[in-house]
Amino acid sequence: MSGTPLPLGPDGYPAPGGVARRSAGAAESVRASRRWWDAAAPAYLAEHGADLGDVDFLWCPEGLREADAHLLGDVAGRRVLEIGCGSAPCSRWLRRAGADVLALDLSAGMLARAAQLNRATGVPAPLLQADVGALPVRDRSVDVVCSAFGGLPFVADVGAALREVARVLRPGGRFVASVNHPMRWPLPDSPDPADLTVTSSYFDRTPYVETDDDGRATYVEHHRTIGDWVRAVVGAGLVLDDLVEPEWTPGRTQEWGQWSPARGALVPGTLVLVAHRA
């Protein structure tokens, strides 16, 4: 059943019954992401919450923060929509910076933690459970849409999601999103630079799928090449302003999955899309 909690492994994350490379459509991807992040939220935030902060805007594991990058511009007085907000530290940072913010996520588990942190910090970011593929937001009503490693890598039809972004943006409105760098796809999921060996094709877009014991998808991640991302942004009617590949922040020692200082010195781990609606 789609509402049945996923069994957890010793690390607190959902334990897959199997792993496959196979097709996964929009409905299956949404269903899997909602269940996985509901189950994984406590373990994920226990592992990464201190690095993410409660009122902070971290773009990526390399340590790039919006306070230094200024990719969104001046947000004071701006209507900002965050996609894939998780526990919503970015939205609270935006709220403190003077933005009129709305934090959106697919996962009720993540939003429950976001609500707790809203109360604990005294910085209440309005929260909404919704799918980026069908944003419950009026046309041309938002000045900025942002997503810091939010839902886009888990979306089957990213073109449709970006068309939704373009629909809700006002003319001149800005869109900025950080995603896994496409060059990470063919490499092993390891922080050790000794493991920088190509093990699969960069051009293979077949989704990575974890399944339960009955073969149902419990986690789905979709790969796009850099060219795919560019075409998706432009195809949605947005103007691509920049592609940022953050370098590792000097002095930062935090490892995050396959991201590490040693590996970050050699290959990019994050791609930041910067665009606007004409």
Side-chain angles (χ1 to χ4, degrees):
M1 298 294 291
S2 61
T4 304
L6 296 174
L8 303 180
D11 59 357
Y13 286 93
V19 174
R21 294 287 298 276
R22 64 167 176 78
S23 62
E28 185 178 31
S29 296
V30 167
R31 188 163 53 246
S33 291
R34 182 183 291 117
R35 291 184 69 204
W36 196 91
W37 285 105
D38 281 352
Y44 180 85
L45 295 173
E47 183 178 5
H48 299 299
D51 197 29
L52 292 168
D54 295 339
V55 187
D56 200 358
F57 200 126
L58 179 68
W59 276 112
C60 54
E62 287 85 354
L64 183 68
R65 284 179 156 79
E66 177 59 15
D68 301 313
H70 307 292
L71 296 177
L72 302 179
D74 183 4
V75 298
R78 300 283 187 174
R79 177 70 167 163
V80 181
L81 172 65
E82 184 187 4
I83 293 169
C85 68
S87 59
C90 298
S91 283
R92 281 186 291 276
W93 184 92
L94 290 164
R95 180 72 181 266
R96 185 170 281 175
D100 176 15
V101 67
L102 176 62
L104 178 149
D105 202 279
L106 185 65
S107 166
M110 279 293 189
L111 291 174
R113 180 58 178 157
Q116 293 172 354
L117 289 172
N118 277 354
R119 294 188 292 269
T121 61
V123 186
L127 307 172
L128 177 66
Q129 185 178 15
D131 174 17
V132 65
L135 295 173
V137 179
R138 294 194 306 275
D139 295 0
R140 301 189 177 200
S141 63
V142 174
D143 298 300
V144 177
V145 176
C146 61
S147 182
F149 269 82
L152 293 180
F154 309 102
V155 173
D157 189 348
V158 76
L162 293 183
R163 287 192 293 273
E164 277 290 274
V165 168
R167 177 184 65 78
V168 304
L169 276 174
R170 295 186 177 114
R174 189 172 300 193
F175 168 65
V176 184
S178 59
V179 298
N180 304 62
H181 196 287
M183 273 304 299
R184 288 296 171 108
W185 189 257
L187 302 174
D189 189 9
S190 164
D192 188 344
D195 292 332
L196 287 176
T197 302
V198 174
T199 56
S200 64
S201 172
Y202 172 80
F203 302 103
D204 184 359
R205 279 81 159 183
T206 308
Y208 169 84
V209 181
E210 294 179 1
T211 60
D212 61 18
D213 292 335
D214 296 318
R216 291 185 294 258
T218 58
Y219 178 96
V220 180
E221 190 166 345
H222 297 267
H223 167 57
R224 280 107 193 172
T225 67
I226 292 178
D228 293 338
W229 281 113
V230 171
R231 285 185 288 274
V233 169
V234 174
L238 300 168
V239 178
L240 186 65
D241 298 312
D242 201 359
L243 292 173
V244 180
E245 296 167 294
E247 296 187 46
W248 199 267
T249 300
R252 178 173 168 82
T253 60
Q254 178 73 39
E255 290 192 3
W256 190 314
Q258 63 180 269
W259 285 263
S260 68
R263 189 165 174 172
L266 299 175
V267 293
T270 297
L271 181 68
V272 186
L273 309 163
V274 183
H276 71 276
R277 176 172 174 173

